[in-house]
Amino acid sequence: MIRTLQKKFTVTAMIAVTVLLAVLLGAINAVNAFTQTAESGRLLEALAMQEGFGPAPTRPDDDFQDGRRGFFQQPMNENRRMSALYFTVRYGSGGEAEDVELRHIASVDEDEARALAARALASGKDSGRLDSYRFQIVEPAEGTKTVILLDVSTQRYNVLRVAALSALAGGLAWGAMLVLVMALSRRAIRPIAENMERQRQFVTDAGHELKTPLAIIQANLDAMELMGGESKYSRNIRSQTRRLSDLMQNLLTLARIDENSVPMDLSEVDLSALAAEELEMFRAPAELKGIAVDSELAPGVAVQASRAQIAQLLSTLLDNAVKYCPEGGRVAMRLQRGDRAVLTLANTVSAPVDTARIFDRFYRADAARSQKAGGFGIGLSAAEAIVRLYKGSISARMDGEDTVVFTVKL
């Protein structure tokens, strides 16, 4: 149990750490990428002014003249502009490239510069990104255009470098947190695990201790009825001892499953035949209440499980359906084969049921009616535990106002 809780604690803690690191490092990289993009945009505008193409389109001239900047921005001074790698292509009024200026860049020849400038003009935008360049188109005079292309490969490399370093740092931090959480998790969950262990041990011990007096009461009751005959008192005693026996059986089943001490005697169980057998056992009590029983069981449906546990699952569901179905109601069982075996059991009810809580231990929708019917509200919890033991699923839903439908997938 401690190992199971330790695993859950570790997984939960590491999910929280993963989300925190992802948000933190993602925010850092997003801010860095945004800042680099904004910086290249400011530099491109400053270069446009430096080349004598008029003021920048989005910033006043003095932003670039006195080196003022924001908190994350570098000063836009002369050294910054001189270190920029860029080239310009000037177009005349006829639309022909008249002049190509390559003084500030060495990695581009004239033909490449003309081709890149043509692509920038063809984009139909005044500014944008083109491969590893950012461009801006200005009109120094009516009918003429100049394309300025700034090499931003260094900024892109900086963004990727920060992303790689943050990923590495995040991975190392995640690994360190995993080691730390695993080291501390056992100590953190030990009090909870020990408390749960004591509770389960109490249930197990109490169940075993009660078995003997219940058996003695049942034996004495049989002897009394042999000598004095059956009476309403003996019937009441027999009914209550049967209820206690069922309660102990369900509590012991839940305790064993929670302790992972249930013997897994797996074999191929013919679910179709077993469902038919269990359903037949409940036809008589259903007929006494005037309940119509309908079934549609696909043949040859088999599962790998313990026959005794699957029989207990079916018996619990059918007992619950017949017990809480009102007189003149209907119980319907369906079994079909898909990717998994799918069993549905529907029964009419007197009032809507809170299906979100129906599998809670000791939950009863109507305590007065449940007490009269002989229920403790623990049978469905045991059924859910059995299904969960085989990695299956069980659910309940209301179909209209008077029918509850249980679906089991194994």
Side-chain angles (χ1 to χ4, degrees), residues 159-174:
V159 170
L160 293 176
R161 180 172 56 185
V162 171
L165 290 175
S166 61
L168 178 61
L172 293 175
W174 191 92

Side-chain angles (χ1 to χ4, degrees), residues 168-305:
L168 178 61
L172 293 175
W174 191 92
M177 285 300 300
L178 177 61
V179 173
L180 184 62
V181 169
M182 291 181 66
L184 298 177
S185 60
R186 190 175 183 87
R187 179 181 299 179
I189 57 90
R190 182 178 290 278
I192 301 173
E194 290 178 350
N195 185 48
M196 294 176 66
E197 188 67 28
R198 284 194 293 268
Q199 291 181 12
R200 271 189 290 274
Q201 190 62 45
F202 170 77
V203 171
T204 302
D205 293 343
H208 287 300
E209 290 296 327
L210 286 172
K211 277 185 176 181
T212 300
L214 284 174
I216 293 173
I217 292 172
Q218 187 68 41
N220 289 336
L221 179 61
D222 292 339
M224 288 174 56
E225 289 183 340
L226 283 174
M227 292 185 295
E230 187 182 54
S231 66
K232 67 177 182 179
Y233 303 109
S234 66
R235 287 194 297 270
N236 287 339
I237 295 173
R238 188 178 299 279
S239 173
Q240 295 306 312
T241 54
R242 186 179 296 114
R243 288 187 66 211
L244 285 175
S245 295
D246 292 341
L247 173 62
M248 287 300 101
Q249 181 62 38
N250 286 327
L251 285 175
L252 289 173
T253 298
L254 286 171
R256 285 195 296 269
I257 291 176
D258 288 342
E259 292 173 356
N260 295 321
S261 61
V262 179
M264 298 293 287
D265 185 17
L266 300 181
S267 62
E268 187 173 279
V269 179
D270 188 342
L271 188 57
S272 302
L274 185 57
E277 291 175 15
E278 293 293 332
L279 184 61
E280 197 63 33
M281 294 173 58
F282 285 90
R283 284 190 184 274
E287 290 174 357
L288 289 176
K289 293 177 64 175
I291 297 173
V293 179
D294 183 26
S295 64
E296 184 179 329
L297 308 177
V301 178
V303 294
Q304 286 290 326

Side-chain angles (χ1 to χ4, degrees), residues 14-328:
M14 292 314 299
I15 289 175
V17 169
T18 302
V19 172
L20 178 62
L21 286 175
V23 171
L24 179 62
L25 297 179
I28 291 174
N29 280 273
V31 170
N32 180 55
F34 176 80
T35 302
Q36 293 288 343
T37 301
E39 283 292 299
S40 61
R42 293 177 65 243
L43 179 57
L44 192 59
E45 293 176 356
L47 292 174
M49 291 175 52
Q50 177 178 279
E51 292 297 323
F53 300 129
T58 59
R59 290 180 178 270
D61 182 71
D62 59 356
D63 276 349
F64 302 98
Q65 296 297 329
D66 60 12
R68 289 186 296 175
R69 63 189 187 280
F71 184 76
F72 292 105
Q73 295 175 341
Q74 300 180 26
M76 195 57 62
N77 52 33
E78 188 65 24
N79 288 334
R80 182 77 193 284
R81 289 190 285 265
M82 289 181 64
S83 65
L85 301 176
Y86 70 99
F87 62 91
T88 62
V89 179
R90 186 172 61 83
Y91 288 82
S93 57
E96 297 293 332
E98 296 180 349
D99 180 55
V100 178
E101 178 56 64
L102 302 175
R103 287 181 303 164
H104 302 283
I105 193 168
S107 61
V108 179
D109 59 29
E110 186 170 331
D111 291 336
E112 291 175 336
R114 291 176 183 272
L116 288 169
R119 289 174 58 190
L121 286 173
S123 69
K125 301 177 181 178
D126 292 334
S127 62
R129 183 180 295 275
L130 196 64
D131 298 338
S132 59
Y133 295 90
R134 286 196 63 175
F135 69 86
Q136 184 165 318
I137 301 174
V138 295
E139 297 184 6
E142 186 176 355
T144 65
K145 290 183 179 180
T146 298
V147 182
I148 307 172
L149 291 104
L150 174 67
D151 186 347
V152 293
S153 57
T154 301
Q155 290 88 334
R156 293 176 63 183
Y157 173 77
N158 289 336
V159 170
L160 293 176
R161 180 172 56 185
V162 171
L165 290 175
S166 61
L168 178 61
L172 293 175
W174 191 92
M177 285 300 300
L178 177 61
V179 173
L180 184 62
V181 169
M182 291 181 66
L184 298 177
S185 60
R186 190 175 183 87
R187 179 181 299 179
I189 57 90
R190 182 178 290 278
I192 301 173
E194 290 178 350
N195 185 48
M196 294 176 66
E197 188 67 28
R198 284 194 293 268
Q199 291 181 12
R200 271 189 290 274
Q201 190 62 45
F202 170 77
V203 171
T204 302
D205 293 343
H208 287 300
E209 290 296 327
L210 286 172
K211 277 185 176 181
T212 300
L214 284 174
I216 293 173
I217 292 172
Q218 187 68 41
N220 289 336
L221 179 61
D222 292 339
M224 288 174 56
E225 289 183 340
L226 283 174
M227 292 185 295
E230 187 182 54
S231 66
K232 67 177 182 179
Y233 303 109
S234 66
R235 287 194 297 270
N236 287 339
I237 295 173
R238 188 178 299 279
S239 173
Q240 295 306 312
T241 54
R242 186 179 296 114
R243 288 187 66 211
L244 285 175
S245 295
D246 292 341
L247 173 62
M248 287 300 101
Q249 181 62 38
N250 286 327
L251 285 175
L252 289 173
T253 298
L254 286 171
R256 285 195 296 269
I257 291 176
D258 288 342
E259 292 173 356
N260 295 321
S261 61
V262 179
M264 298 293 287
D265 185 17
L266 300 181
S267 62
E268 187 173 279
V269 179
D270 188 342
L271 188 57
S272 302
L274 185 57
E277 291 175 15
E278 293 293 332
L279 184 61
E280 197 63 33
M281 294 173 58
F282 285 90
R283 284 190 184 274
E287 290 174 357
L288 289 176
K289 293 177 64 175
I291 297 173
V293 179
D294 183 26
S295 64
E296 184 179 329
L297 308 177
V301 178
V303 294
Q304 286 290 326
S306 166
R307 181 180 175 85
Q309 290 168 355
I310 299 302
Q312 182 181 353
L313 168 65
L314 295 172
S315 176
T316 300
L317 292 175
L318 286 167
D319 179 65
N320 180 82
V322 174
K323 186 181 295 182
Y324 298 109
C325 184
E327 294 184 2

Side-chain angles (χ1 to χ4, degrees), residues 350-366:
S350 301
V353 177
D354 184 2
T355 55
R357 298 184 57 198
I358 199 169
F359 295 106
D360 292 351
R361 298 181 185 185
F362 298 104
Y363 169 74
R364 293 182 291 185
D366 188 332

